[in-house]
Amino acid sequence: MTNTTTPGTEYGIFLPIGSGGWIVSETAPHPKSDYAYNRHSAALAEEHGFDFIMSMGKWRGYGGATGHWDHTLESMTMMAGLAEATERVGVWATIHANIFHPALAAKMFTTLQEISGGRAGMNIVVGSYADEFRQMGLWREDMEHADRYRYTEEWATALRRLWTEDSVTLNGEFFDLEDCRSLPHPASPPTIIGAGRSPAGLAFQARHCDGSFLTAQDLPGLRDACRRVRAESAREGRTIRTYSMLTVIMDDSDAAAEARRLEYGRGADIQAIVNMKRSWGLPPDKALSLTAERPEDEAFQTPFVTGSPATVAKRINEIVAEAELDGLMLIFPDYHADLAAFGERVMPMLRSTAEAPA
């Protein structure tokens, strides 16, 4: 199977590995967080010319009326299964550097790279949702944000060495490796992905990552973030691709799609949303006040576009162009129905736009 996706622009999907998917609402579809549902979603992505599939790592949900993300699959083992179930798409799994030793990660992703025939990607997460790791006794209360990035810098350095050197000795601030071996090495290194827009996060991505997932308050801010991480990467003698996330709510007409959005927003699970915001470190009163500003939009965890297929294609092209993105990772309310409709009705327009002569 060949890659038929828009040249130069990559499109992927964020798999619904957690119960409730990506819309925190009682009135939205609730994709199943089981392997069969995700396998079919991956097959649809491959069938319709997407470039990659990605899954998060999540160890504790947010409760509420919907029990949002209370049930989750584990990212790396699921993506190993999906590597066998697909032929072309990149299979990008998430790993938390604070709970997986770099020698363990090196071996696991070498294996995923072999299973997938060179399509593996590693999304490195520093680990910032404290309650997920406190429940395991694995949260370092003594480490601040900058400390966690310093830790992850050393983690990533050890990882790269284990992928390329037969014996690694490293006596660092956080890791002591003595004649540590991880053979075989991957035939080619997995794609490394990172996220975050803090100065420390952008610096880490510039030094270690092939792809950067970025967020901002608006498109000019997103464009500026893309330019910053590219410039930092260039100073390191590297290149990096930039991505963002987008939820797509599509129907036959703009009005019908907007009605879907409003209906999903109407059922926003406020308690789960507050619990999620508290997990970011916000105090309860601040988490609640942020949620109360626009509760109908708080159900959506990313920026969104709504509309008919033509409107959605137009908005996606505008977002990619204005923010100077290299790709988008898309989220759908109902992955089976909505992903198939998007693939049949929008992807051909995205391809034809990119292939049109300038």
Side-chain angles (χ1 to χ4, degrees), residues 157-170:
T157 298
L159 176 82
R160 290 283 193 186
R161 291 185 61 188
L162 288 162
W163 276 344
T164 56
E165 300 176 24
D166 289 345
S167 172
V168 176
T169 296
L170 185 154

Side-chain angles (χ1 to χ4, degrees), residues 166-185:
D166 289 345
S167 172
V168 176
T169 296
L170 185 154
N171 302 118
E173 180 182 1
F174 302 100
F175 297 102
D176 285 302
L177 307 182
E178 298 293 337
D179 187 24
C180 189
R181 305 184 181 212
S182 184
L183 299 173
H185 297 148

Side-chain angles (χ1 to χ4, degrees), residues 271-286:
Q271 187 58 59
I273 294 166
V274 168
N275 291 342
M276 182 181 295
K277 291 180 181 295
R278 289 179 64 184
S279 77
W280 302 344
L282 293 174
D285 58 338
K286 186 67 172 175

Side-chain angles (χ1 to χ4, degrees), residues 89-93 109 112-114 116-122 189-193:
V89 291
V91 285
W92 296 358
F109 276 84
L112 182 58
Q113 187 73 321
E114 184 170 328
S116 66
R119 295 180 286 131
M122 174 190 285
T191 300
I192 302 295
I193 305 106

Side-chain angles (χ1 to χ4, degrees), residues 1-17:
M1 186 177 294
T2 58
N3 188 334
T4 57
T5 315
T6 307
T9 303
E10 294 177 78
Y11 293 100
I13 65 169
F14 212 177
L15 289 164
I17 198 170

Side-chain angles (χ1 to χ4, degrees), residues 12-317:
I13 65 169
F14 212 177
L15 289 164
I17 198 170
S19 54
W22 294 96
I23 303 177
V24 193
S25 169
E26 297 183 66
T27 53
H30 285 181
K32 291 183 178 180
S33 58
D34 61 22
Y35 180 71
Y37 190 95
N38 281 272
R39 187 185 189 282
H40 187 60
S41 301
L44 287 170
E46 178 145 293
E47 176 185 348
H48 292 292
F50 283 78
D51 293 284
F52 63 89
I53 55 177
M54 181 167 154
S55 62
M56 69 171 174
K58 182 57 62 177
W59 308 98
R60 187 183 181 95
Y62 301 114
T66 60
H68 192 74
W69 289 355
D70 285 350
H71 294 201
T72 56
L73 298 181
E74 194 280 318
S75 180
M76 286 173 284
T77 46
M78 190 186 81
M79 299 312 279
L82 294 182
E84 281 283 354
T86 55
E87 298 177 5
R88 178 188 53 78
V89 291
V91 285
W92 296 358
T94 294
I95 190 165
H96 285 92
N98 58 319
I99 61 174
F100 287 91
H101 192 280
L104 178 60
K107 182 69 73 175
M108 294 174 77
F109 276 84
T110 295
T111 304
L112 182 58
Q113 187 73 321
E114 184 170 328
I115 293 170
S116 66
R119 295 180 286 131
M122 174 190 285
N123 175 38
I124 302 176
V125 178
V126 176
S128 58
Y129 301 109
D131 286 349
E132 293 190 59
F133 309 109
R134 284 195 182 107
Q135 67 180 357
M136 310 175 194
L138 294 174
W139 181 251
R140 292 274 304 269
E141 302 287 354
D142 60 322
M143 291 178 67
E144 301 294 334
H145 182 267
D147 300 324
R148 289 196 292 272
Y149 267 107
R150 206 168 64 254
Y151 171 97
T152 309
E153 286 268 358
E154 191 172 301
W155 188 97
T157 298
L159 176 82
R160 290 283 193 186
R161 291 185 61 188
L162 288 162
W163 276 344
T164 56
E165 300 176 24
D166 289 345
S167 172
V168 176
T169 296
L170 185 154
N171 302 118
E173 180 182 1
F174 302 100
F175 297 102
D176 285 302
L177 307 182
E178 298 293 337
D179 187 24
C180 189
R181 305 184 181 212
S182 184
L183 299 173
H185 297 148
S188 60
T191 300
I192 302 295
I193 305 106
R197 59 180 180 175
S198 69
L202 292 178
F204 173 80
Q205 293 162 49
R207 283 192 286 271
H208 296 282
C209 295
D210 305 300
S212 170
F213 277 95
L214 299 165
T215 60
Q217 295 298 316
D218 52 31
L219 287 179
L222 186 56
R223 181 189 61 230
D224 291 345
C226 289
R227 289 176 176 178
R228 282 200 307 275
V229 75
R230 287 195 186 104
E232 289 201 38
S233 184
R235 285 193 291 272
E236 297 285 337
R238 307 179 69 251
T239 59
I240 193 167
R241 292 178 68 80
T242 59
Y243 305 84
S244 195
M245 295 188 293
L246 189 68
T247 298
V248 176
I249 304 168
M250 190 176 78
D251 214 305
D252 290 336
S253 68
D254 290 354
E258 181 64 8
R260 286 184 71 184
R261 181 189 73 82
L262 292 173
E263 174 61 12
Y264 300 159
R266 180 182 67 80
D269 185 346
I270 299 302
Q271 187 58 59
I273 294 166
V274 168
N275 291 342
M276 182 181 295
K277 291 180 181 295
R278 289 179 64 184
S279 77
W280 302 344
L282 293 174
D285 58 338
K286 186 67 172 175
L288 184 58
S289 67
L290 284 178
T291 301
E293 289 174 8
R294 293 193 65 183
E296 70 276 13
D297 286 350
E298 290 288 344
F300 303 96
Q301 296 186 54
T302 74
F304 53 81
V305 293
T306 67
S308 67
T311 297
V312 167
K314 179 175 181 289
R315 287 294 296 129
I316 286 176
N317 279 325

